[in-house]
Amino acid sequence: MIGFATRRLLQAMVVMLVVALLAFTMFRFVGDPINQMVGIETSIEEREALRERLGLNDAIPVQFARFVTQAAQFDFGTSYQFRQPVSELFAKRIPATLELSFTSALFALVVGIPMGIYAGLNRESAISKLFLSVSLVGISLPTFFIGILLIFLFSVTLQWLPSFGRGEVVQVGSWWTTGFLTASGLKALILPSITLGLYQMTLIMRLIRAEMLEVIRTDYIKFARARGLPDRLVHFRHALKNTLVPVITITGLQLGAIIAFATITETVFQWPGMGLMFLQAVQNVDIPIMSAYLLLTAFLFVAINFIVDILYFLIDPRLRVGRP
């Protein structure tokens, strides 16, 4: 177990170094940072002094080492647009993005797993075919179009739910804010979380259905039924347990995708998270925010992947065959 975790950790470090190199390249070679930080009235001498003070005249390996060291300490420089430290800006936006991502992932799991189990066990029923039709809609339609449809139906036509914003939030601790503790915050979460989690829900549902159809045809399931075990025990203790092994990997990757690709949903619903700030940074060529977003999303992907690998190792005994 320790050796497996060590190898995965070393691989994660290599991935983060590659991502850091990409972020540094973007930071160093996409435009001149000095031109973004000063006005046209700044003299050449002042520009050179600022360049020297920021270390932009140092050798490229020295700059990259300094960039990695500062990023490891969550120091991503100062935003060109907001004139504030990027770490402080992300600290204000991370709670909103993680709250939305957690709610979307919970929606995808709570709805997708039961739908997949039912569709796998009752493949010919009308409800199962309805679930498959809904899953095709969730996979086919783009995220922004689903969001616009939900806004038109529930916000404009029925006027049940808000169409933008995070609602009222409550301060928890020194920097964390949450909308889980207010009615308006919970109502504001419904539409964006469904929009963001619908694709993952349909993917999980179809994956579990396919795995259930494959597992219930295996010999050990036939043997369990031949022993006279009730269907409920066969389906949920034997079949479902083996079905969830590949689902864990896909679910972990999709959770990382939810966090990384919440940009579109946050833009449609004007959700004050990291994704919306990233799009604003792209429009204003705010390189520190762009590189920080790249590093943070890569770190979340790598961390979630690492946790999923460990869970997969613990659940699947085939990975431990032949190991001391």
Side-chain angles (χ1 to χ4, degrees):
M1 177 66 185
I2 296 177
F4 179 82
T6 302
R7 285 193 298 273
R8 287 293 184 268
L9 190 60
L10 291 176
Q11 293 173 2
M13 293 175 63
V14 172
V15 171
M16 287 305 302
L17 282 176
V18 173
V19 174
L21 180 60
L22 293 176
F24 171 76
T25 303
M26 179 174 61
F27 182 84
R28 183 66 177 81
F29 297 106
V30 179
D32 189 356
I34 302 299
N35 293 333
Q36 301 290 336
M37 300 175 66
V38 299
I40 57 175
E41 70 280 356
T42 306
S43 64
I44 298 179
E45 292 76 12
E46 293 174 334
R47 290 170 181 265
E48 288 299 324
L50 180 60
R51 187 182 300 275
E52 184 68 28
R53 188 166 69 249
L54 295 177
L56 298 178
N57 292 330
D58 296 337
I60 298 299
V62 175
Q63 293 187 46
F64 178 67
R66 182 168 57 243
F67 177 80
V68 172
T69 303
Q70 292 175 348
Q73 300 171 358
F74 293 95
D75 181 7
F76 303 104
T78 302
S79 168
Y80 300 156
Q81 178 185 1
F82 299 101
R83 307 297 181 183
Q84 297 180 28
V86 176
S87 57
E88 294 182 4
L89 294 173
F90 272 92
K92 297 176 182 178
R93 301 280 186 138
I94 284 177
T97 297
L98 293 184
E99 188 174 278
L100 176 61
S101 302
F102 172 78
T103 308
S104 302
L106 187 63
F107 162 75
L109 291 173
V110 170
V111 178
I113 291 178
M115 288 176 62
I117 294 173
Y118 184 88
L121 298 178
N122 305 275
R123 57 184 301 183
E124 299 299 332
S125 67
I127 298 178
S128 177
K129 294 179 181 178
L130 176 63
F131 287 166
L132 290 177
S133 301
V134 173
S135 69
L136 286 177
V137 173
I139 291 177
S140 303
L141 294 181
T143 301
F144 73 90
F145 187 66
I146 295 175
I148 292 173
L149 287 179
L150 292 178
I151 290 174
F152 177 77
L153 178 60
F154 293 101
S155 299
V156 178
T157 304
L158 299 176
Q159 297 184 358
W160 287 353
L161 298 170
S163 60
F164 66 93
R166 197 182 174 194
E168 185 181 357
V169 296
V170 176
Q171 187 80 22
V172 179
S174 59
W175 61 279
W176 190 270
T177 57
T178 180
F180 287 140
L181 303 178
T182 64
S184 62
L186 290 175
K187 290 176 65 176
L189 264 173
I190 295 176
L191 292 185
S193 61
I194 292 176
T195 302
L196 184 58
L198 186 61
Y199 175 79
Q200 280 72 25
M201 183 270 289
T202 55
L203 183 65
I204 291 173
M205 188 273 285
R206 296 180 73 89
L207 176 62
I208 289 183
R209 176 184 178 273
E211 291 293 329
M212 286 292 291
L213 290 175
E214 182 178 351
V215 168
I216 59 179
R217 292 195 295 262
T218 56
D219 292 336
Y220 71 89
I221 295 296
K222 296 177 181 178
F223 179 72
R225 285 175 173 166
R227 290 173 55 196
L229 296 178
D231 288 342
R232 185 175 182 180
L233 185 62
V234 172
H235 292 160
F236 292 98
R237 182 174 180 179
H238 297 282
L240 182 60
K241 181 180 178 181
N242 291 276
T243 299
L244 292 179
V245 171
V247 174
I248 290 176
T249 301
I250 299 299
T251 302
L253 294 176
Q254 290 306 309
L255 179 59
I258 286 176
I259 298 174
F261 302 118
T263 307
I264 298 176
T265 303
E266 291 184 1
T267 304
V268 172
F269 291 93
Q270 288 299 293
W271 189 263
M274 295 190 301
L276 181 60
M277 185 172 65
F278 171 73
L279 276 185
Q280 295 171 349
V282 171
Q283 295 172 357
N284 295 280
V285 199
D286 199 336
I287 304 298
I289 291 181
M290 295 165 61
S291 59
Y293 183 81
L294 177 62
L295 285 172
L296 287 177
T297 51
F299 175 77
L300 291 173
F301 256 110
V302 168
I304 292 172
N305 249 341
F306 178 76
I307 295 173
V308 168
D309 285 340
I310 299 301
L311 291 177
Y312 201 84
F313 183 86
L314 294 175
I315 292 175
D316 194 347
R318 292 172 297 181
L319 295 178
R320 301 191 295 270
V321 173
R323 297 179 182 274

